[in-house]
Amino acid sequence: MDVVGYALYMAQCGRKSEDAKPLKGFGSGVLEIVADYNSDTYRAVYTVRLASGVYVLHCFQKKSKHGIETPKKEIDLIKQRLNWAIEQDRQRKD
């Protein structure tokens, strides 16, 4: 799981890990890290789009055996948390 921590560290330093990939459907600045651990797959989603800092939006174990697509339930939660992060960022500017 070091890959996730290192990617977040790089994001805080204003750089992008080679392991970070844009999360489809969210535009620029929302990235995903996929990490394998003990034969399971985990994902961490974060955004660097906001001025106030790096926001980790969601971390979860990928359980689906049907392809690599992120489940709708997880996407909906990421959208909800991104909207919350945008609001938090806006309030910090005021």
Side-chain angles (χ1 to χ4, degrees):
M1 298 299 275
D2 292 342
V3 67
V4 174
Y6 185 68
L8 292 172
Y9 167 75
M10 290 193 64
Q12 290 175 326
C13 294
R15 298 180 7 222
K16 181 180 165 285
S17 167
E18 291 180 9
D19 295 310
K21 307 290 183 225
L23 184 60
K24 291 180 182 173
F26 284 88
S28 65
V30 177
L31 303 160
E32 174 182 49
I33 298 292
V34 178
D36 293 322
Y37 180 75
N38 283 348
S39 73
D40 290 318
T41 300
Y42 297 86
R43 294 182 179 191
V45 178
Y46 64 97
T47 185
V48 294
R49 153 189 321 176
L50 305 173
S52 59
V54 175
Y55 284 81
V56 177
L57 303 174
H58 191 32
C59 297
F60 59 100
Q61 181 180 0
K62 176 76 168 75
K63 293 184 179 183
S64 173
K65 305 297 182 200
H66 307 290
I68 61 171
E69 187 171 312
T70 304
K72 183 183 181 329
K73 173 184 145 191
E74 308 296 351
I75 292 293
D76 291 345
L77 185 57
I78 293 165
K79 285 179 183 176
Q80 177 186 1
R81 290 178 177 173
L82 178 60
N83 288 334
W84 177 86
I86 290 169
E87 183 58 33
Q88 294 298 306
D89 187 65
R90 226 180 256 138
Q91 289 178 8
R92 289 176 193 242
K93 291 179 185 175
D94 293 341

